[in-house]
Amino acid sequence: MSELKQKLKNLLDTKTAVKVPLIGSQDFQDISSKKSDSLLLKAVNNEKFVEKRDAELISNIDQVYFNSSDFDFAKFELEKLPRVLDKKLIANDVKNLRAQHEIVEKQLLQLILENQAACDDELDKIGMLQNKLKSSLENCEYAKNCLKLAKRQITTAGLGLLGNCRKKSLILDLLNSLNSIKMLLQTEKKLEELVSQANYAKGIALLLECTQGASPFKQFTCIAALSVKLQDALIMTEEQLDIVLSNMCFNFDNEKYSAVQEAYRRLGKTRIAIDQLHMHYTSAVHSTSFDTINLFVNTDKVENNKNSFALLCQCVPDEQLIPCLIALSKIFWNILQSYKKAADWHREFKDISTDSEDDIEEYVNQEYISKKFEIGPTRLWGDIITKISNLVFNSNMTKFKFDDFLQVLSILNKHIKIGEEFCNSKSEQLQNDTKKSCISYFHTYHKNCLDELTIFFENESWTPCPVKREFNLFQLQEYRTIKNHIQKTDSSRLTHSRNSSMDSSSISTSEYFHFTSDKSPFDNDLNTTYCEDILDTEIDGNSICSDDTNNSYEDTDNDNITADNYERPPLLTNTTLTVMRHCGKYLKICNILKSISEDVVTCLCQLFEYYLYSVHLLFTSDSMPQICSGVNSVKLQSVITRICNTLIQCNHENETNQDPFIREPVALHMLSLSDANNLYSISERIVAVESLVFLGEQYKLLHSYLNSLLTSDTSSYSLQQFFNQTVAVAVDLRKPVYGRVICKSIDYNQVLGMMTKVNWEVKDIMCEHSGYVDYFLQELRAFFKTLKTSTSNIYLNEQVLNSIWEAIAVLVSSVFIEGFSLAKKCSNAGRALMQLDFTQFMSQITSICPINPLPHKELVEVYIKAYYLPETSLETWTRDHQEYTHKQLLAVINCVCQNNKRSRQKLTNLLEESLQR
């Protein structure tokens, strides 16, 4: 039995022996190829089945096969056989063992293939290691040979020399170390000298060098203490650098700043230095604003020192606001100027350092600095503008004087322009708050100006103000700052380009930063009064024309009055000067804050409208005879009505402070319009009307500039309408004002009475004119004689004389037509007498009248010719000449048709129907 088991064991040994081919051999490749092909074929045919079967077979392998490499698997299998052998059972076990062997063999081959590359690498490493071992072995053999040679050749004396050289080298190393220690100990004193000389870069370099040099000698106690001192000195130097950096916020020094930046660069803290710099600027804004406000606050109102900035601003007295605002603005200006210089320094440094593109760290630092200086100005300006807004808009500016308010507005406008230049910031919140505050103040101020003008009109003596001959509004101090802008706009006539005109008056880019370090844009923001030279000191204040050479007209034999060609000063009153000054103040606001220009221009136009309305009201309050109604202008009357409806407050009982209307002036007793001794205040009338005309001429000088201030087409159209209608009708006020004096001074009723007594039914043509003609001429001469006496203190220019003569012409034409219409019957000779009288009158008046022909002459001539018309043409004439009154037309009809009742009745009925229509 034992022999049989031994035979089975040998058989199993031969069957289970696995021949592992050599890696890289042909057999290995053939076997690998065959196995891989077989596995691939099996995987393709029945991959799932094989995997499942293999998994089952592998799981059935006893674990003892894997525990030890010395395991005797043949003995293990034989011991498993029963005492009674079963051939079939043994065959089945052998079959299972073979299947398991194939699976294990397959897995082994797969693992070998997968790790073949790693195996090759390891073999290469083994080869390299063998080469290195071979080289080391050769070196060792060479060293042994050299040692053997040295042992045979070197003597004891040579070894002594080598020992001495070694000692010398050690002593030299010790000496160098001692010198280094000595230099380290002297560093502190040298560092203090460098810092005191502001040579921070060398100081930092020395500190870093000493710190690095002290590291090899830390075993020495003195060097360890020195290292601590050096570290403390480095910290103190950084603090000193930070102090110098903070001082740059107010007084930028290019050399010091360069030294500080170089020191931070040596420390490797360039970005930290920029962060600290911006932090210092922010801190400087906050600290200096508090310090400045505390100098001006009312200490009684301050509860404690921890109040917020807004509460402190409320404690600043109104009279201290402007000095406080100027002081704060100057400090902020220094901070901004310093910041801009720092930004310029870094920009120049970046341009210089662009060559070193290989230094990546430096490039990153410069990019970081650029980003910081892109964001920093906006943040810094935001802090500054917040402080300015808190100071200004926490005060009550409604009680400010106009000049004070204008000064505040100018300072705010400069801040807006600085912000736009400094960081391209529009400062929208500041602009909105400024505009809102300005509109509120301006409308209140405008209402007060109108109230002031009312008092002026009620107390005006209407005597001329003695100004120089070349006087205009540009000579007033209110126009001093805006004169160039107005004249430039007027000369260029760029009314079509409003935006460019507005920009022309604004401060150009980078204008402020051209100031030197000891000046700021706010140095001139103090109340300054300019001297204006407008009064004519050579003329007596009570009389514009005090001697014969300055008389406004010359005496002639027939009392003719002619205008003097000698250049005369304009006729204007104190009220006129006041209105022009108000206009100048209004335009100052426009020049500073153009966003409210439309409101200002509207109020400026209201000043002229109120002046026009007041002069019309005061000097046309006396009644106008119906016969002189022709002097009234329909256009003037419509303008007066519009002003009354839109501007004048007629119901004084309902007037409130919020009411936009203004009360009309009341004529006081000093204005005697019914006194014939002074020719019904003809001098005052002339001064009043001519001052209005002069004011209109001054407004025309501002037309182009006012139009350039407007931004909308609607406002521009309204302004054009104002000049075309309101300003243009100022000259039309002459005839109704002067006409009232003429109608009262000339006894036209006596002329009409004399005309009624004339016999117009004469049969023979007369060769002598009627007596009323001479009387009428006598009245005119008497009027001009009285006019000369009454206007001795003023001069009459050509326009005034022409206006007087135009009013006289209206009276003459009305008197003649009215007198002729009083004739109930008229013969052909009587009609010729009418023509003779009027022709004689015109020939006589031509010698004293500067206007040729006399206005409205044709109106009388056409009326006289109507008496010559046949009855058949009278109907057409009546229909075409509606400028005559109903009474005058009826008189012509009665005279022409006095012998034909039917035609007379027909024409009368036709005239009545026309009147009804």
Side-chain angles (χ1 to χ4, degrees):
M1 186 65 184
S2 60
E3 294 178 358
L4 179 60
K5 288 184 178 180
Q6 185 64 35
K7 291 180 179 180
L8 289 174
K9 180 179 178 183
N10 296 333
L11 178 63
L12 289 174
D13 291 338
T14 57
K15 296 292 182 179
T16 59
V18 179
K19 182 181 180 182
V20 179
L22 183 63
I23 297 175
S25 64
Q26 183 65 32
D27 293 338
F28 178 79
Q29 292 178 357
D30 294 341
I31 293 172
S32 299
S33 175
K34 291 179 181 180
K35 292 297 181 179
S36 61
D37 291 343
S38 176
L39 291 173
L40 179 62
L41 181 61
K42 289 180 182 180
V44 173
N45 294 331
N46 197 1
E47 183 177 357
K48 292 185 179 181
F49 176 76
V50 172
E51 289 179 355
K52 183 177 181 182
R53 188 192 65 182
D54 292 349
E56 291 178 354
L57 291 175
I58 291 176
S59 63
N60 292 330
I61 298 176
D62 292 331
Q63 188 65 29
V64 294
Y65 282 95
F66 305 102
N67 291 336
S68 175
S69 59
D70 298 333
F71 175 65
D72 190 355
F73 55 88
K75 183 178 180 180
F76 175 72
E77 291 294 336
L78 290 176
E79 289 177 353
K80 288 173 58 179
L81 293 176
R83 291 184 175 275
V84 180
L85 298 176
D86 189 352
K87 188 176 182 179
K88 294 181 179 181
L89 180 60
I90 294 173
N92 189 28
D93 291 339
V94 171
K95 181 180 180 181
N96 290 335
L97 288 172
R98 287 177 177 174
Q100 292 174 355
H101 179 267
E102 291 179 357
I103 293 171
V104 172
E105 183 182 17
K106 180 179 69 174
Q107 294 290 337
L108 179 61
L109 290 174
Q110 185 175 358
L111 292 173
I112 291 173
L113 292 173
E114 291 176 356
N115 294 281
Q116 184 177 358
C119 182
D120 293 339
D121 294 338
E122 291 296 328
L123 289 175
D124 293 337
K125 291 180 181 179
I126 291 172
M128 293 175 63
L129 182 60
Q130 289 177 348
N131 294 331
K132 290 181 179 180
L133 289 174
K134 184 178 179 180
S135 177
S136 299
L137 181 61
E138 292 176 353
N139 292 333
C140 289
E141 290 178 354
Y142 176 75
K144 289 173 67 177
N145 293 331
C146 290
L147 288 174
K148 289 179 181 180
L149 181 62
K151 186 177 180 181
R152 291 195 301 267
Q153 294 180 353
I154 296 177
T155 61
T156 305
L159 292 176
L161 291 174
L162 291 176
N164 291 332
C165 288
R166 181 174 175 274
K167 290 180 181 179
K168 180 181 179 181
S169 177
L170 292 174
I171 292 172
L172 289 175
D173 291 341
L174 178 61
L175 182 62
N176 291 333
S177 299
L178 291 175
N179 288 330
S180 299
I181 293 173
K182 181 180 179 181
M183 290 178 62
L184 292 176
L185 293 174
Q186 294 176 351
T187 301
E188 187 175 0
K189 183 178 180 181
K190 188 174 182 181
L191 179 62
E192 291 178 357
E193 293 178 357
L194 291 174
V195 172
S196 62
Q197 296 173 2
N199 196 346
Y200 304 107
K202 286 187 178 180
I204 294 296
L206 179 63
L207 273 175
L208 295 177
E209 183 181 354
C210 291
T211 302
Q212 187 177 4
S215 58
F217 309 104
K218 287 184 178 180
Q219 65 273 20
F220 301 106
T221 305
C222 62
I223 299 302
L226 179 63
S227 298
V228 176
K229 273 190 174 184
L230 290 176
Q231 190 64 30
D232 294 340
L234 184 62
I235 295 174
M236 292 179 62
T237 304
E238 289 185 13
E239 293 178 354
Q240 183 68 26
L241 287 176
D242 191 64
I243 294 173
V244 175
L245 195 64
S246 64
N247 293 333
M248 294 294 106
C249 297
F250 302 98
N251 297 307
F252 185 86
D253 189 314
N254 193 67
E255 294 182 359
K256 286 186 178 181
Y257 190 76
S258 300
V260 170
Q261 288 298 322
E262 179 64 25
Y264 275 111
R265 193 175 297 107
R266 297 274 182 121
L267 288 172
K269 297 182 178 182
T270 302
R271 283 181 275 182
I272 295 177
I274 296 301
D275 293 336
Q276 288 180 332
L277 178 67
H278 283 81
M279 181 187 67
H280 285 313
Y281 274 108
T282 302
S283 176
V285 170
H286 289 277
S287 61
T288 55
S289 59
F290 272 95
D291 295 340
T292 305
I293 292 296
N294 283 321
L295 296 176
F296 295 92
V297 296
N298 191 341
T299 55
D300 297 335
K301 296 182 179 179
V302 180
E303 297 178 356
N304 52 64
N305 295 328
K306 297 182 180 180
N307 286 335
S308 65
F309 185 79
L311 293 177
L312 282 177
C313 292
Q314 295 177 3
C315 299
V316 177
D318 293 340
E319 62 274 7
Q320 293 295 326
L321 174 64
I322 294 178
C324 180
L325 179 60
I326 293 176
L328 195 62
S329 300
K330 287 182 178 180
I331 293 175
F332 287 160
W333 163 252
N334 290 334
I335 294 175
L336 292 177
Q337 196 178 35
S338 174
Y339 187 91
K340 188 175 184 301
K341 290 179 179 179
D344 292 340
W345 186 94
H346 283 281
R347 191 179 299 108
E348 294 175 359
F349 182 82
K350 183 179 180 181
D351 295 338
I352 296 174
S353 62
T354 51
D355 298 335
S356 59
E357 296 180 355
D358 297 336
D359 192 347
I360 298 177
E361 183 179 0
E362 181 65 23
Y363 175 78
V364 173
N365 289 338
Q366 294 304 320
E367 290 298 318
Y368 181 82
I369 293 172
S370 299
K371 293 294 182 183
K372 274 291 184 179
F373 277 102
E374 287 178 4
I375 303 173
T378 304
R379 294 180 176 176
L380 181 63
W381 180 248
D383 293 338
I384 289 176
I385 215 64
T386 300
K387 302 299 182 184
I388 295 295
S389 299
N390 286 333
L391 175 61
V392 174
F393 300 113
N394 276 317
S395 60
N396 185 14
M397 290 191 294
T398 57
K399 299 180 180 179
F400 276 26
K401 296 180 180 179
F402 181 83
D403 292 336
D404 293 339
F405 178 79
L406 202 66
Q407 189 175 3
V408 173
L409 197 62
S410 175
I411 295 174
L412 294 178
N413 184 60
K414 287 183 178 181
H415 278 292
I416 293 172
K417 293 180 184 297
I418 290 175
E420 187 172 357
E421 177 188 352
F422 180 70
C423 60
N424 293 325
S425 173
K426 299 298 182 180
S427 306
E428 295 180 356
Q429 185 61 41
L430 178 62
Q431 289 194 44
N432 294 333
D433 293 340
T434 303
K435 180 179 179 181
K436 182 179 178 181
S437 178
C438 186
I439 289 177
S440 175
Y441 178 88
F442 176 72
H443 283 291
T444 303
Y445 178 76
H446 176 62
K447 184 67 166 56
N448 294 333
C449 288
L450 292 176
D451 292 336
E452 178 185 354
L453 287 180
T454 304
I455 300 174
F456 267 84
F457 284 126
E458 292 177 344
N459 296 276
E460 179 63 66
S461 61
W462 302 108
T463 56
C465 183
V467 295
K468 293 187 175 181
R469 296 177 178 87
E470 67 277 5
F471 171 75
N472 58 31
L473 52 81
F474 295 129
Q475 298 176 7
L476 297 176
Q477 67 174 0
E478 285 76 10
Y479 296 86
R480 187 67 61 96
T481 57
I482 59 176
K483 177 181 178 181
N484 293 332
H485 301 316
I486 296 176
Q487 293 180 341
K488 182 178 179 180
T489 305
D490 185 62
S491 61
S492 61
R493 299 291 182 182
L494 294 178
T495 56
H496 62 280
S497 179
R498 301 188 188 96
N499 292 334
S500 62
S501 298
M502 289 172 63
D503 295 338
S504 65
S505 62
S506 61
I507 297 176
S508 60
T509 305
S510 72
E511 176 182 344
Y512 284 135
F513 285 115
H514 287 171
F515 283 90
T516 57
S517 58
D518 58 342
K519 293 183 179 180
S520 76
F522 308 99
D523 288 337
N524 297 326
D525 279 308
L526 298 174
N527 289 324
T528 56
T529 303
Y530 299 98
C531 296
E532 56 182 20
D533 186 16
I534 62 173
L535 297 179
D536 193 350
T537 56
E538 298 179 359
I539 299 178
D540 186 4
N542 297 324
S543 176
I544 296 298
C545 304
S546 57
D547 53 12
D548 295 338
T549 59
N550 289 332
N551 286 338
S552 58
Y553 44 78
E554 299 175 354
D555 294 335
T556 60
D557 295 337
N558 51 7
D559 294 320
N560 184 21
I561 298 179
T562 59
D564 192 356
N565 293 327
Y566 185 68
E567 186 180 359
R568 298 292 183 177
L571 288 177
L572 69 153
T573 62
N574 288 327
T575 307
T576 313
L577 285 175
T578 302
V579 173
M580 288 191 291
R581 292 187 190 278
H582 287 323
C583 292
K585 292 178 179 180
Y586 288 10
L587 292 179
K588 281 184 178 180
I589 295 180
C590 288
N591 187 55
I592 297 175
L593 189 64
K594 291 183 174 60
S595 58
I596 67 165
S597 295
E598 294 187 1
D599 294 45
V600 174
V601 171
T602 300
C603 294
L604 188 141
C605 295
Q606 289 180 358
L607 293 177
F608 185 84
E609 290 176 344
Y610 186 58
Y611 199 108
L612 173 63
Y613 180 85
S614 299
V615 173
H616 179 273
L617 175 68
L618 296 175
F619 292 98
T620 61
S621 58
D622 49 340
S623 60
M624 169 72 77
Q626 184 64 31
I627 196 171
C628 293
S629 59
V631 297
N632 289 322
S633 171
V634 177
K635 188 176 180 180
L636 173 63
Q637 193 58 44
S638 64
V639 170
I640 295 299
T641 303
R642 177 183 59 80
I643 296 174
C644 181
N645 295 332
T646 58
L647 186 63
I648 304 302
Q649 171 70 345
C650 298
N651 189 358
H652 301 290
E653 295 179 358
N654 297 330
E655 186 177 5
T656 60
N657 293 331
Q658 291 77 22
D659 202 330
F661 299 108
I662 186 69
R663 70 178 182 87
E664 60 184 20
V666 179
L668 301 180
H669 61 277
M670 65 179 62
L671 193 61
S672 302
L673 300 180
S674 58
D675 188 3
N677 295 327
N678 60 0
L679 200 58
Y680 307 99
S681 299
I682 183 63
S683 178
E684 289 80 359
R685 291 176 189 263
I686 292 175
V687 172
V689 176
E690 295 309 312
S691 65
L692 173 64
V693 174
F694 176 78
L695 182 61
E697 295 298 326
Q698 302 309 299
Y699 264 74
K700 291 178 182 179
L701 297 177
L702 302 174
H703 188 185
S704 298
Y705 181 69
L706 294 178
N707 194 46
S708 68
L709 295 175
L710 303 178
T711 57
S712 65
D713 294 335
T714 303
S715 300
S716 180
Y717 175 77
S718 300
L719 180 65
Q720 188 65 39
Q721 290 296 103
F722 166 75
F723 278 95
N724 292 340
Q725 296 178 4
T726 307
V727 177
V729 301
V731 295
D732 294 345
L733 191 60
R734 286 169 170 163
K735 287 196 292 185
V737 174
Y738 303 158
R740 281 169 165 76
V741 177
I742 294 169
C743 291
K744 293 179 179 180
S745 302
I746 299 175
D747 190 3
Y748 65 89
N749 289 319
Q750 181 66 25
V751 177
L752 291 176
M754 296 175 66
M755 292 181 73
T756 57
K757 298 178 181 179
V758 176
N759 183 13
W760 303 109
E761 290 186 294
V762 294
K763 296 180 181 180
D764 298 328
I765 297 177
M766 305 295 291
C767 61
E768 290 289 337
H769 59 273
S770 302
Y772 71 88
V773 174
D774 295 330
Y775 181 79
F776 205 174
L777 292 170
Q778 182 182 350
E779 283 291 310
L780 289 176
R781 291 188 177 93
F783 168 75
F784 280 105
K785 186 176 181 180
T786 308
L787 178 63
K788 174 184 176 181
T789 305
S790 301
T791 58
S792 59
N793 62 329
I794 62 174
Y795 68 94
L796 304 182
N797 56 32
E798 184 179 356
Q799 291 79 14
V800 175
L801 290 177
N802 290 341
S803 299
I804 293 175
W805 274 109
E806 287 176 4
I808 291 175
V810 172
L811 177 63
V812 168
S813 61
S814 300
V815 169
F816 271 98
I817 294 174
E818 183 68 19
F820 293 153
S821 67
L822 295 176
K824 297 181 179 179
K825 294 181 180 181
C826 183
S827 62
N828 292 331
R831 295 163 186 165
L833 181 60
M834 291 180 181
Q835 187 72 35
L836 176 62
D837 291 345
F838 185 69
T839 303
Q840 182 66 23
F841 180 85
M842 294 304 299
S843 63
Q844 292 290 330
I845 203 173
T846 303
S847 61
I848 61 175
C849 177
I851 304 176
N852 190 20
L854 189 70
H856 308 290
K857 172 184 177 183
E858 296 81 3
L859 196 62
V860 181
E861 293 176 345
V862 170
Y863 190 79
I864 295 175
K865 292 177 181 179
Y867 285 95
Y868 292 95
L869 294 174
E871 296 177 3
T872 56
S873 303
L874 195 58
E875 180 180 350
T876 304
W877 183 88
T878 303
R879 188 181 296 110
D880 295 340
H881 293 81
Q882 297 296 322
E883 65 270 15
Y884 302 107
T885 64
H886 176 267
K887 177 184 176 182
Q888 294 167 354
L889 293 174
L890 189 59
V892 174
I893 293 173
N894 291 332
C895 289
V896 174
C897 302
Q898 58 185 347
N899 297 325
N900 191 340
K901 294 183 179 180
R902 180 177 295 180
S903 297
R904 183 175 58 187
Q905 186 63 38
K906 179 183 177 181
L907 292 172
T908 302
N909 294 336
L910 182 63
L911 184 61
E912 293 293 339
E913 293 176 1
S914 176
L915 181 62
Q916 292 177 0
R917 288 195 299 269

